[in-house]
Amino acid sequence: MAVLAFQRLSQLVTDYVLGNSGTITPPSGWTMGLATTNVGSGGASDYARDSIWSVTVSGTNINEIGSTTAAGYARQTIAKSINQAAVDWGTSTFDSTFSTGGQSTTADQVTFGAFTGSGPSPNGANSWVLTDGSTLNAGQPYFAADTAATRTFASGDTEKVTATLKAG
Amino acid sequence: MYVEIIYETGAKSVAFYDTNEEMMEAVKAHHARAKSGEDGGPSGHPAERIVELQIYNTHPQDLNEDMTMSADVMNKELQAIVKNATEAGVVNIQEIAAGVRQLASPTVDEASRHDSQFKMKADKVVTEGWDN
């Protein structure tokens, strides 16, 4: 499963954590969105480190499902807390492996849906994206991962996603 | 309209529907699957019974997207944060900073199983109509 950390996540480390920036700051809360596009492996239409949300299907743009017809789709909230809110982050753990180690955290499972009619348009989620804000195809992407398979939604469907980040 | 769907398991999701009819179609369909023991979606997870719908005009995530508040409210909140963090007359500055940042959070600190996870007050709460 391909994963990618976008530029903004790295910039939070350099500017906010190290430099106490007052402008490059974490959002008030995290949201998760589903996209038709892929993390992939760096190809022309895969994600890049500086990919942006866009309704335009082009290059490395991240295209969100449900942007034309929601049919139940909306971004889901992950709170900025640890083991407190209904859906937030778990206690982080450490992997000391020299080459691939780091500190990991896993969010509580989020639920999308329930979808209605013939599902959202565009349909067919191929990746999830940790982002901010509720407006579709907007906001900063922070990290993303491909779904195990393309998820095409129909009436009554829900979708479960669990996000994990390893900071190494 | 945005609808926070609260499931019997304690899971919660936010969905966007254009009409009440659209909302009820989705909720009825998923709830019926749960009663029949069917899958909830293409991932193969179990469907979950639905206990409540909290309806909002805006996504409840957007409670304070700009992360601003009046100076008067901030002063009051800050006093409470400092008071709670004071030990032997001393406060940890990072703890104060974390408390201030949390004021912008759209979610409550601890939501019980069937309560909303959001600070935003729902415009309407619906507790029936999908269990045929």
Side-chain angles (χ1 to χ4, degrees):
Chain A
M1 181 185 301
V3 299
L4 183 68
F6 295 107
Q7 178 187 5
R8 186 67 168 206
L9 188 65
S10 305
Q11 198 174 17
L12 283 174
V13 176
T14 56
D15 293 19
Y16 179 71
V17 175
L18 297 180
N20 197 31
S21 170
T23 52
I24 304 297
T25 57
S28 61
W30 308 106
T31 51
M32 181 183 283
L34 296 174
T36 58
T37 34
N38 300 287
V39 172
S41 56
S45 59
D46 293 336
Y47 293 163
R49 290 186 182 271
D50 58 354
S51 283
I52 60 171
W53 285 107
S54 176
V55 69
T56 304
V57 179
S58 174
T60 61
N61 284 346
I62 309 169
N63 305 133
E64 194 152 10
I65 71 168
S67 59
T68 300
T69 304
Y73 176 75
R75 288 187 178 177
Q76 303 306 316
T77 295
I78 301 177
K80 269 173 54 182
S81 59
I82 298 173
N83 296 327
Q84 279 188 289
V87 179
D88 63 358
W89 302 93
T91 302
S92 62
T93 58
F94 181 57
D95 175 359
S96 63
T97 307
F98 184 82
S99 56
T100 59
Q103 197 79 9
S104 292
T105 182
T106 298
D108 293 320
Q109 191 175 59
V110 301
T111 304
F112 289 88
F115 296 100
T116 189
S118 53
S121 174
N123 203 339
N126 286 297
S127 65
W128 55 261
V129 182
L130 199 285
T131 183
D132 56 26
S134 64
T135 303
L136 303 194
N137 282 324
Q140 295 283 348
Y142 294 88
F143 59 95
D146 287 332
T147 53
T150 301
R151 307 297 191 200
T152 301
F153 304 112
S155 179
D157 280 343
T158 59
E159 172 70 355
K160 300 286 189 180
V161 177
T162 302
T164 294
L165 174 71
K166 189 172 195 178
Chain B
M1 59 187 173
Y2 290 92
V3 181
E4 183 184 14
I5 302 174
I6 300 176
Y7 301 84
E8 188 176 65
T9 56
K12 305 168 210 290
S13 67
V14 176
F16 181 82
Y17 304 110
D18 285 325
T19 64
N20 276 320
E21 290 73 23
E22 201 180 35
M23 174 185 75
M24 293 308 289
E25 183 216 327
V27 170
K28 282 181 180 178
H30 189 81
H31 189 80
R33 290 190 199 183
K35 289 178 69 175
S36 302
E38 297 173 30
D39 287 346
S43 300
H45 59 278
E48 299 156 286
R49 297 181 188 223
I50 292 165
V51 296
E52 188 171 287
L53 309 176
Q54 300 246 344
I55 301 173
Y56 308 86
N57 286 329
T58 58
H59 197 303
Q61 167 76 15
D62 296 338
L63 178 67
N64 191 1
E65 199 174 7
D66 294 335
M67 292 192 275
T68 58
M69 64 175 28
S70 77
D72 287 342
V73 174
M74 172 55 79
N75 278 325
K76 286 180 185 171
E77 295 284 355
L78 198 50
Q79 281 179 21
I81 291 170
V82 169
K83 183 180 177 183
N84 289 335
T86 301
E87 284 188 25
V90 174
V91 297
N92 181 293
I93 295 173
Q94 296 293 350
E95 190 178 336
I96 300 295
V100 171
R101 285 197 302 270
Q102 204 55 17
L103 294 175
S105 172
T107 57
V108 297
D109 284 340
E110 291 179 31
S112 61
R113 181 182 289 254
H114 291 164
D115 285 341
S116 171
Q117 62 183 315
F118 295 104
K119 291 178 181 174
M120 185 184 286
K121 186 171 164 45
D123 296 298
K124 186 178 177 182
V125 178
V126 178
T127 57
E128 59 185 5
W130 53 84
D131 193 6
N132 298 322

